Amino acid sequence: MAGERVATAHSPRGETVLSRREDGTLELRVNGVFVMDTAHTASERALARDALDAFLGSRKPPQGGTRVLIGGLGLGFTLHEVLGYSDVDGVVVSEVEPAVVEWFRQGLVPEVAADRFDERVTLHTAEITESVSEQRDSTLDIVLLDVDNGPGYLVRSENASVYGTSFLRQCRDKLGPGGLLAVWSSAPAPELAESVREVFGAVEQRAVPVTLGSLETEYHLYTGAN
C-alpha cells in the first residue's frame, strides 16, 4: 500500500505519483495503476540481462560498442542493468512522462541515482513510437520495451499499438544484423508472442519467478531476433 508521497506530477495523461511505503520501498503509480517499485526489480533486470547476454554471447561486440534503446524509464532499474555492461556504448531511454525523467535526474531513487551522471545515457521525453521512428535503420543492437504491465494490463490504452506487428516491424528495421527485441509482460501474452513470431520469424519466451510479499508469481519476457 502506498504511504508518504515523495513527488506528484500532472500531465495530459493524468497523475503520476512516486510514494514511499512504511518499509522504505519506493513505488510508482500512474492514474492509480501500479507500475513498479524498488522491492521487486528482478524482471526489469532480467529484461536487460537476457537480451544483452543473448546478443553478446554469440558474437564480438559491434565496432563502436553496443547500442540499446529502452522504452520506459520507470524507476531506472532496466537502465541500471544495461549500464553494468562495459560493452554498451550508448543507451537511448524513451519516457513519455517528463516528471519521471526529472525525478531520475534529481536522484530520487537512491539505488540508481549515480546513473544520471553516466555519459552513455540519452534521455528522450517522448512516446516510444516517436523515439523508435527517430532512429536510423539498422543502427540499434537491442530494443527493450517495458512501457506497461504488458499488453493485457496497459497503463494507458494508447499503448496497445506498441504490441502490434506494425510497431514491432519498425523496431525490427532499426535493429542491425543479429539485433534483438525484448518485451516485458506481467502475464502470459500469447497474442504478443504471435506478433513477435510474425515479425521476426520466431519468438522466445522466458518466465521469471517473482516473489511479491507472500505471493509467488511469474513475469514474462518475449524476445525476437533479426
Side-chain angles (χ1 to χ4, degrees), residues 117-137:
F117 303 117
D118 197 307
E119 295 181 351
R120 294 174 291 172
V121 179
T122 300
L123 296 173
H124 193 192
T125 307
E127 297 277 4
I128 180 58
T129 51
E130 178 185 337
S131 295
V132 168
S133 68
E134 290 185 359
Q135 306 304 309
R136 290 182 291 117
D137 285 357

Side-chain angles (χ1 to χ4, degrees), residues 47 181-185 187-190 192-193 196 203-206 220-224:
L47 174 65
L181 167 78
V183 189
W184 183 90
S185 177
L192 170 60
V196 174
V203 60
E204 290 191 13
Q205 177 181 352
R206 179 189 167 194
H220 300 266
L221 303 179
Y222 295 87
T223 304

Side-chain angles (χ1 to χ4, degrees), residues 41 44-45 48 52 70 73 75-85 91 93 104 110-115 118 120-121:
T41 62
E44 293 99 306
R45 294 174 184 271
L52 280 156
I70 301 174
L73 172 60
L75 296 178
F77 286 92
T78 301
L79 172 62
H80 183 73
E81 198 72 20
V82 168
L83 294 175
Y85 286 75
V91 187
V93 183
F104 175 79
E111 296 93 332
V112 302
D115 295 340
D118 197 307
R120 294 174 291 172
V121 179

Side-chain angles (χ1 to χ4, degrees), residues 41-226:
T41 62
S43 64
E44 293 99 306
R45 294 174 184 271
L47 174 65
R49 262 196 324 274
D50 276 22
L52 280 156
D53 288 349
F55 180 77
L56 295 171
S58 59
R59 61 182 61 78
K60 294 181 179 179
Q63 187 175 5
T66 302
R67 289 190 50 78
V68 181
L69 186 147
I70 301 174
L73 172 60
L75 296 178
F77 286 92
T78 301
L79 172 62
H80 183 73
E81 198 72 20
V82 168
L83 294 175
Y85 286 75
S86 60
D87 294 318
V88 170
D89 180 67
V91 187
V92 176
V93 183
S94 177
E95 171 56 54
V96 70
E97 292 297 342
V100 172
V101 174
E102 183 58 28
W103 297 340
F104 175 79
R105 287 176 171 152
Q106 292 173 5
L108 294 187
V109 182
E111 296 93 332
V112 302
D115 295 340
R116 59 192 162 140
F117 303 117
D118 197 307
E119 295 181 351
R120 294 174 291 172
V121 179
T122 300
L123 296 173
H124 193 192
T125 307
E127 297 277 4
I128 180 58
T129 51
E130 178 185 337
S131 295
V132 168
S133 68
E134 290 185 359
Q135 306 304 309
R136 290 182 291 117
D137 285 357
S138 304
T139 57
L140 296 172
D141 299 302
I142 299 170
V143 174
L144 306 176
L145 299 181
D146 185 10
V147 297
D148 289 289
N149 291 325
Y153 301 90
L154 300 177
V155 175
R156 298 167 49 230
S157 60
E158 296 88 343
N159 289 345
S161 63
V162 170
Y163 304 97
T165 55
S166 179
F167 178 66
L168 296 182
R169 285 192 185 97
Q170 291 183 43
C171 293
R172 180 198 62 195
D173 292 345
K174 306 305 178 182
L175 293 167
L180 293 176
L181 167 78
V183 189
W184 183 90
S185 177
S186 63
E191 292 184 359
L192 170 60
E194 185 54 37
S195 294
V196 174
R197 183 181 292 107
E198 180 178 338
V199 172
F200 288 91
V203 60
E204 290 191 13
Q205 177 181 352
R206 179 189 167 194
V208 181
V210 177
T211 301
L212 302 175
S214 59
L215 175 65
E216 298 289 335
T217 186
E218 292 180 336
Y219 291 157
H220 300 266
L221 303 179
Y222 295 87
T223 304
N226 266 357

Side-chain angles (χ1 to χ4, degrees), residues 4-7 16-20 26-28 75 103 108:
E4 171 197 2
R5 289 197 175 198
V6 176
T16 303
V17 176
L18 181 67
S19 60
R20 182 179 290 107
L26 289 172
E27 177 182 288
L28 182 66
L75 296 178
W103 297 340
L108 294 187

